[in-house]
Amino acid sequence: MVGWAVDLVLAVVVTGLEVAALALFWFRESLKAWAAQGRSVPGGTRRLVVVLGVGTALPGLGAVAFFEVGLKAAAVSQALMASVLGSILALGLATEAGRWLCRGRRKGGAER
């Protein structure tokens, strides 16, 4: 019984810390956008991709480590965090690729 309690508390604490770190990152990035008064913030997409990439890899590694130790609830919560962050990363990259393709088409069409 004590093992399950430790497992659940660890799952909640680790997931909560990850969510808090992401919320602080997004708050910091939104402050930068607000300070730029609507203009584009240089390197914003790059920082987002790095944060989401690392944020996907670390919970994935944590899930494997927790599973090896026998903390199944913590492993499942970390695997879910990794999959959610990976999905957000994939959607963000697809959106940026679409914007990049549209920009390229507009520039190519204006030159003709």
Side-chain angles (χ1 to χ4, degrees):
M1 185 67 171
V2 173
W4 274 102
V6 170
D7 190 13
L8 289 176
V9 167
L10 188 61
V12 169
V13 167
V14 171
T15 304
L17 287 173
E18 290 171 355
V19 169
L22 285 171
L24 285 174
F25 171 75
W26 260 294
F27 179 72
R28 183 174 158 246
E29 289 298 311
S30 62
L31 279 180
K32 286 181 183 179
W34 175 73
Q37 296 177 348
R39 293 186 307 269
S40 179
V41 178
T45 303
R46 189 175 318 127
R47 282 190 301 274
L48 182 65
V49 167
V50 168
V51 166
L52 288 177
V54 170
T56 301
L58 290 180
L61 293 173
V64 171
F66 286 140
F67 186 76
E68 290 293 322
V69 174
L71 300 171
K72 291 185 173 102
V76 168
S77 72
Q78 290 301 290
L80 288 174
M81 278 294 289
S83 63
V84 166
L85 291 176
S87 299
I88 293 171
L89 177 61
L91 289 172
L93 288 176
T95 302
E96 286 300 316
R99 288 181 186 164
W100 180 75
L101 287 173
C102 287
R103 266 189 256 133
R105 286 183 183 167
R106 276 190 239 139
K107 287 180 181 177
E111 292 174 0
R112 292 181 191 174

